[in-house]
Amino acid sequence: MNTPPNSPNQYTALVGATIYTSPTEEPISDSVVLIQNEKIVSVGHRAQMQFPETAHVLDCFDLTITAGLWNSHVHFFERKWADVANIPAPELSRQLQDMLTKYGFTSVFDTGSVWENTRRLRGRIDSGEIPGPKIRSTGEGLVPPCALPSDQVLGMMGVMKLPAPEIADAPQAAAAARKLLDAGVDAIKIFASAPRGAPLPENVFQAAADEAHRANKPVFVHPNNASDVLAAVRGGVDIIAHTTPHSGPWDETLLSAMREKRVALTPTLTLWKYYMRHDRLSAQEKVTNTEIGQLRAWIATGGTVLFGTDLGAVEYDPSEEYALMSEAGMTFRQILASLTTAPAERFGDAHKLGRIAAGFQADLAIFQQDPAINLRALSSAKYTLRAGKIIYRAAG
Ligand SMILES: [Zn+2]
């Protein structure tokens, strides 16, 4: 599966593809992307490009290349990741392909899992033992008392037991956030409310956000309704991890607060649709229309969208999420930004990830068709490269 170990000055030339260097540039057809070790050296039209004779050539005629994709809302909490240190490398590698790399994902943000376990998973990838994406994680996340489903329900959902710290007030939130940050998480995740019991007040978000921001890390919120979103935004969180279709359309007060605070949104449209699958068609349609309306209203304000699906809680194929984002009025270019430049900027990697340019890390997704013509093309990668290495190659 991997290319041979990189020797110094090893070149790879991706030849013949149409490339989207960024969501705003015009595509380059019949191109060459020249990679040296883990970085992109140059990009351009084939007729104008030279590359060393010793370069390994990957035939990319009729294929389309974008920067490697990000899913900014995933969970490594399914039972298949439990005791990750003892999963044989070939099986672990296949699991990562099934979930992520076969769809072109090279970076993910895990927003709730057992931190010690996810850290080990990341370690096996980063050491080079297992091909896989770059993983960031919030670890367990902070929850209000009695917010998590029982162990029995988690078991039925296929999810590991999650020892998330319960917080009821600001001092507890600050202490729990600090403990996770000290353990090395990349962000803090807060669940805004429990099914029964009062929602967390603004000052609880504020206390956790102050701790995270002091460490230069972002804060995600899982809201259950529009008032959760408003309290979280006013308390200083950075990423709204879901739309909230069960509480009706987002009003102007909420949208302008979100815009003013420059938060980002992971829409997770497929998730709500999936949870409604046992309900009456009219109820399903109402939820789908409401979530699409919320995303449309957010886009209209110029707000930032980070592609995110709550992966692990939904099926792995992202096709439906792309289709629903398109129904909300997002163009291919806007969807591509949500998958590349927007998360790279939001998470501090805009200098090396999210675009195809000289000096950038060679994280690339290579598709069978041009997704600008057919959005579904984004769901079938032919190759996925991270740091110049092929981490997924389609069969045949
Ligand atoms: Zn989630």
Side-chain angles (χ1 to χ4, degrees):
M1 178 57 60
N2 280 303
T3 46
N6 284 350
S7 55
N9 301 320
Q10 181 179 316
Y11 287 94
T12 303
L14 313 181
V15 177
T18 296
I19 47 174
Y20 289 88
T21 56
S22 84
T24 50
E25 304 293 316
E26 282 309 305
I28 305 172
S29 55
D30 196 13
S31 68
V32 171
V33 181
L34 184 62
I35 297 166
Q36 183 184 20
N37 304 327
E38 75 282 356
K39 283 189 175 171
I40 297 165
V41 178
S42 54
V43 187
H45 280 291
R46 186 159 63 101
Q48 293 152 11
M49 291 277 291
Q50 289 178 334
F51 54 86
E53 262 174 38
T54 53
H56 168 69
V57 172
L58 192 64
D59 178 350
C60 292
F61 286 95
D62 291 329
L63 303 179
T64 300
I65 306 181
T66 68
L69 309 184
W70 295 59
N71 189 328
S72 302
H73 189 155
V74 309
H75 295 275
F76 291 106
F77 61 15
E78 291 175 276
R79 280 194 295 271
K80 65 177 67 171
W81 308 111
D83 192 18
V84 76
N86 291 312
I87 302 175
E91 187 178 12
L92 189 55
S93 163
R94 275 167 53 212
Q95 290 187 177
L96 287 163
Q97 287 181 14
D98 275 358
M99 180 178 179
L100 294 159
T101 55
K102 74 181 277 194
Y103 302 110
F105 292 103
T106 55
S107 292
V108 296
F109 221 122
D110 164 86
T111 60
S113 65
V114 179
W115 169 234
E116 271 312 310
N117 195 62
T118 302
R119 183 177 18 204
R120 287 204 178 90
L121 170 62
R122 172 162 82 186
R124 291 185 71 179
I125 296 170
D126 289 354
S127 71
E129 184 202 354
I130 314 273
K134 158 91 179 171
I135 296 173
R136 287 178 170 75
S137 175
T138 65
E140 281 80 2
L142 317 183
V143 299
C146 308
L148 284 185
S150 70
D151 291 351
Q152 195 187 359
V153 172
L154 289 175
M156 281 178 349
M157 290 166 65
V159 168
M160 284 182 255
K161 214 172 134 177
L162 193 66
E166 290 194 344
I167 51 163
D169 57 29
Q172 286 179 7
R178 212 158 34 230
K179 195 168 169 203
L180 279 163
L181 292 161
D182 287 346
V185 298
D186 303 294
I188 293 296
K189 162 84 170 282
I190 308 172
F191 291 79
S193 52
R196 284 174 298 279
L200 293 177
E202 208 176 299
N203 71 330
V204 172
F205 294 105
Q206 178 92 56
D210 284 349
E211 291 298 331
H213 294 162
R214 217 190 321 276
N216 241 331
K217 309 228 163 125
V219 181
F220 291 74
V221 64
H222 170 114
N224 293 310
N225 53 52
S227 58
D228 285 347
V229 178
L230 192 59
V233 168
R234 287 179 171 160
V237 310
D238 305 285
I239 295 114
I240 312 300
H242 297 287
T243 47
T244 60
H246 292 283
S247 63
W250 282 347
D251 64 19
E252 200 37 56
T253 308
L254 177 56
L255 288 163
S256 52
M258 288 169 68
R259 188 180 47 219
E260 225 167 83
K261 298 281 191 155
R262 307 176 64 82
V263 299
L265 171 69
T266 60
T268 68
L269 304 175
T270 312
L271 174 77
W272 302 132
K273 198 174 166 181
Y274 182 70
Y275 281 170
M276 289 298 291
R277 70 196 183 281
H278 304 299
D279 288 279
R280 294 245 318 259
L281 273 181
S282 54
Q284 294 187 31
E285 284 158 9
K286 190 174 169 202
V287 160
T288 304
N289 290 336
T290 307
E291 63 183 6
I292 285 175
Q294 290 174 343
L295 177 56
R296 183 180 288 119
W298 179 234
I299 296 294
T301 70
T304 299
V305 175
L306 307 177
F307 179 86
T309 48
D310 214 343
L311 200 63
V314 295
E315 300 296 321
Y316 295 158
D317 186 332
S319 303
E320 182 157 37
E321 189 74 12
Y322 296 137
L324 291 167
M325 290 168 92
S326 165
E327 268 187 64
M330 291 183 76
T331 63
F332 163 65
R333 300 303 189 101
Q334 286 174 316
I335 293 172
L336 184 60
S338 80
L339 286 158
T340 57
T341 46
E345 274 163 32
R346 177 65 52 153
F347 301 126
D349 275 341
H351 59 292
K352 62 171 183 179
L353 294 177
R355 295 194 295 127
I356 304 176
F360 274 54
Q361 187 170 304
D363 282 19
L364 301 165
I366 308 183
F367 299 103
Q368 316 260 13
Q369 288 176 44
D370 186 340
I373 296 165
N374 178 5
L375 206 48
R376 284 197 160 265
L378 279 179
S379 307
S380 59
K382 170 96 174 166
Y383 304 102
T384 304
L385 277 73
R386 180 175 166 215
K389 284 187 183 159
I390 296 179
I391 59 170
Y392 171 75
R393 181 194 302 263

